[in-house]
Amino acid sequence: MIVLGLSGALKHDPSAALLVDGETVAAAEEERFIRDKHAKNKLPLHSARFCLEYAGVDPADVDYVAFPYAPINLRGPARWHYAKRYWYAPDRSLDALFNGNRRFRAHRRSIIGLGKELGINWSRTQFVPVEHHLSHASSAYHLSGFTQKCAILGVDGKGEYATTFLGYGEGGRIHKIKEFYDPDSLGGVYGAVTEYLGFEMLDGEYKVMGMAPYGDASKYDLSPLIAAKGDGFKVNTALVNAVGLRRYKDAGQKFFFTPKLVDWLGPRRLDDAADDPYIHYAASMQALFEKWVMTLIDHYLADILAETGKLAFAGGGALNVKLNQRLLARPDVDELFVQPASGDSGTALGAATQVAMSHGDRVSPMRHVYLGPSYTNEQCLTALQAHTGECQWQKMTDPAGQTADLLAAGHPVAWFQGRMEFGPRALGGRSILGCPNAPGIADRINEQIKFRERWRPFCLSILDQVAAEILQSEHPAPYMTITFNVAESWRSRIPEVVHVDGTVRAQVVERDTNPRYYALLEAMQVRTGNGVVLNTSLNRRGEAMVCSPQDALNMFFGSDLQYLVLEDWLVTKC
Ligand SMILES: [Fe+2]
């Protein structure tokens, strides 16, 4: 069975994923191909084309197109809840009741049109809508590898109407226990505060999370943003998650917080600094978010966790690695699987896996995220030849050893190897690497290469043999989705990646999933005594991660990087 998942209904992060007989053969975000971060208001044309071509699948042979956005029945609670809570914006309220699937119909038309452009034969191929949160849940549960019953959690801004999903998976089926609906959205509140703190919603949430450890959550109490209601919560839309006339406006821009929030907390943060009181607001927001997720789990999932100890998590909220550390620290959680593409790009994979499972395929667990395009040495050489005179290149006989020599000497190195990662994290396919004990390397990468905020932490890739010693945990961590407390004895050995709160966001690398990256870590172990590298994504601030050799070279020449390892080629600037 061939299932093509296509995401992008929420006007950001379109992507495609292809399943053949339950195996995830290819998946990629559209932003990488069109070089436009989050690819807002675009359809997943290039990514879908890539998936089909990579798999050698004739578009006419696709059995199902799975779409992670579905019509919502008026008989259920979602549209009524939305209409009631948005009483102050009657146009929206009435629209939800009388024309509540308008967006779905428009998306369906777009996807049918896109399919025709791709060569899908709609008289044979079936279009299958899957609810947005069911798609997130599927991307976590069906790919987790959990064979026993497990709890499932989904947290994001919103899908059609749902914002939060609590349920369980058993025997290959997903069961919904409880959903919350817009505007009662924990992800939405985090997003609105992200905007207030001067970042872009859907992009800057992880910056707020990075800023939080610099602040003191007890200094300002943000709990008036979310009130307890029955067995759940109610967002205070007088302050956040507001629409229409309630929204704060500045310089022609509209935000999801209100003028009342500004009256309460002071002016919106406008510069790049991490300072008072905004660091404390970030800390309070993070604490509030964690508190509410824990409260919901206690209420709706604790009995399942007590039974199984397993939790699968997806949705934009699952990108919050600090929350994930708290989840893993729960005494009732033994195993936590966080879908690495837990933002909306992952819903293409989630919808596809849900459709495959419900039509009789067995979906294989996720083994890695290297699901994008790869390029040969010859293709890299062609790209290099376009830059003759600007750089020199030589074929390496020992790429791991030669790269480790450069890193150990204190140089940052751009590392382009194999298939591109699916999901927002660079995991050794399209990375900028550094030696985590080279003094000042983090500042150098921030200021000269990435051009990003100096206070944001970097991640660490670790050889599997030393991971437990550094992270003080045996729990799997292949995707940089969880932070860990760094062992005291290691903090001085890797100072450039330890965050101000003593944690690190980690990727434990195994030989099977990325042999070349593993060889590099082994070579670092030999040279420095530490089998680790600092790892950040191969892109500059505001740009999508690099996809092709041409993208890598454009990024290389637009930064102060001196070294680029492009498959077997070592490229140095003239
Ligand atoms: Fe989502």
Side-chain angles (χ1 to χ4, degrees), residues 10 132 136 156 158 344 347:
L10 294 159
H132 187 80
H136 277 310
D156 71 0
K158 76 173 236 186
D344 279 354
T347 57

Side-chain angles (χ1 to χ4, degrees), residues 302-453:
D303 53 338
I304 297 163
L305 288 173
E307 189 186 335
T308 73
K310 291 178 173 48
L311 176 62
F313 186 18
L319 295 170
N320 195 304
V321 291
K322 295 284 175 192
L323 167 67
N324 297 344
Q325 183 174 10
R326 283 267 314 263
L327 293 175
L328 188 55
R330 284 178 66 102
D332 54 1
V333 173
D334 303 324
E335 264 188 275
L336 171 64
F337 176 79
V338 179
Q339 164 55 240
S342 57
D344 279 354
S345 67
T347 57
L349 193 51
T353 46
Q354 178 63 17
V355 169
M357 287 295 287
S358 56
H359 288 82
D361 266 356
R362 280 172 67 97
V363 170
S364 301
M366 195 161 197
R367 287 188 299 273
H368 59 76
V369 295
Y370 309 110
L371 297 165
S374 63
Y375 299 85
T376 62
N377 278 317
E378 289 65 38
Q379 287 170 308
C380 292
L381 181 61
T382 306
L384 280 165
Q385 283 162 345
H387 291 274
T388 304
E390 293 174 88
C391 58
Q392 295 167 329
W393 56 88
Q394 62 172 100
K395 196 100 171 245
M396 292 181 285
T397 48
D398 174 18
Q402 287 172 259
T403 307
D405 284 340
L406 290 168
L407 292 169
H411 301 290
V413 177
W415 173 261
F416 180 107
Q417 297 290 321
R419 295 182 71 181
M420 182 179 72
E421 297 89 343
F422 182 54
R425 299 278 86 82
L427 296 171
R430 306 287 185 275
S431 294
I432 296 170
L433 307 177
C435 180
N437 63 0
I441 189 93
D443 279 346
R444 211 170 134 201
I445 294 175
N446 265 341
E447 287 160 17
Q448 300 179 2
I449 298 162
K450 298 277 287 190
F451 309 113
R452 65 180 206 168
E453 300 87 346

Side-chain angles (χ1 to χ4, degrees), residues 1-5 17-25 55 57-58 61-66 124-126 128 351-363:
M1 185 192 305
I2 299 174
V3 186
L4 177 64
L18 191 76
L19 255 68
V20 178
D21 299 332
E23 283 292 330
T24 308
V25 179
V57 165
D58 183 335
D61 291 337
V62 171
D63 297 299
Y64 300 97
V65 167
R124 181 188 181 280
T125 304
Q126 204 181 322
V128 189
T353 46
Q354 178 63 17
V355 169
M357 287 295 287
S358 56
H359 288 82
D361 266 356
R362 280 172 67 97
V363 170

